[in-house]
Amino acid sequence: MTDLVNLADYEARARELLDPAAYDYIAGGADAEVSLALPRRALDAIRLRPRVMVDVTVCDLATTVLGTPVPAPILVAPSGDHGIAHPDGELATARGAAATGTLLVVSSGATHPLEDIAAAADGPRWLHVPLLRDRAAALDLVRRGEAAGYTAVCLTVDHKVMAKRERNIRNRWTTPPAANLSGVAAAGWDVDGTAMRRRFDAVLDRSATWSYVDWLAARTPLPILAKGILAGADADLAVRAGAAAVVVSDHGGRQLDTAIAPIEALPEVVAAVGGRAEVYVDGGFRRGTDVLKALALGARAVLLGRPVIWGLAAGGADGVAAVLLMVRDELERAMAMCGLPSLAAISPEVVQVP
């Protein structure tokens, strides 16, 4: 991996190594995939406003997320099926994240049981939970997470139905069975989407409202994150329902195509939350300068999804660690060049938003 100098290089290497259909499954989005490009365009349009002649001998990136110390405001987003990218799957992802001290959000769609992932490495971790129709199954998943040392529950609120993902349809891709969700078998993608609709309609709760967050928060001591928010009004409702944090996210462009980019929605969400909860963001982050822009607009931390999988495909646990350290190093360098010796020094004045 010594010849890989940025995250685009890691994606290119992963594409070389993976089966084309597997690459498409990870990289693809919904419908026309317009949303895959929107976050990058929005991030690139934001300009940095550096200050000079500041002592940046040390730039302190350390922070906390829901009380958990992390060495930098960069986390691993929940994403399923890491076994597609590497034989060790999420076990290697956990080892790579833990080697850097990075917090890992483990997807319920992982290819390994959440207990095995927890045992693979002693790093900070949160558990992702979908909007399960079977509330008993959702609570069982949370109880397993509590017992395995997960310290928060990340509830995905923007995934009630499965989007049309045309790359998967063209490849006749078969989604693997879920290791942590009983009764969720493998399912293939067909032209009319019948099989995938049947699979997810049987599992996900289309009728769920914000009372779902309140219900879950009342049944676990773990803090709840609401992930998949793109509107300030929804962020306010999430906090009122008991969410301790919200994640501004467009599901990696894999759900509603042409939706607003997360970085564009971030200021509105931060304003709506008004300091009552922590705010995180994901979506298209590929450089340390991207992370700095998000922090300047009010995010407490950024989550990386696909780049971690590219690192996993390229080099297993070592590849995951290399990707996370690369972005961390880029953030530190950008902070130094902007005259920012600490995260506390970052403010909206650092950016110029079109």
Side-chain angles (χ1 to χ4, degrees), residues 46 229-232 246-249 260-273 279-282 285 290-291 293-302:
I46 299 171
I229 287 177
L230 291 172
V246 297
V247 183
V248 184
S249 173
I260 184 173
I263 193 68
E264 295 173 320
L266 179 60
E268 176 185 319
V269 170
V270 169
V273 169
V279 178
Y280 314 122
V281 62
D282 68 13
F285 291 88
D290 297 338
V291 179
K293 292 171 184 179
L295 299 176
L297 292 175
R300 189 171 186 87
V302 165

Side-chain angles (χ1 to χ4, degrees), residues 216-236:
L216 190 58
R219 285 162 176 79
T220 177
L222 301 182
I224 307 295
L225 300 87
K227 177 181 179 293
I229 287 177
L230 291 172
D234 279 343
D236 175 63

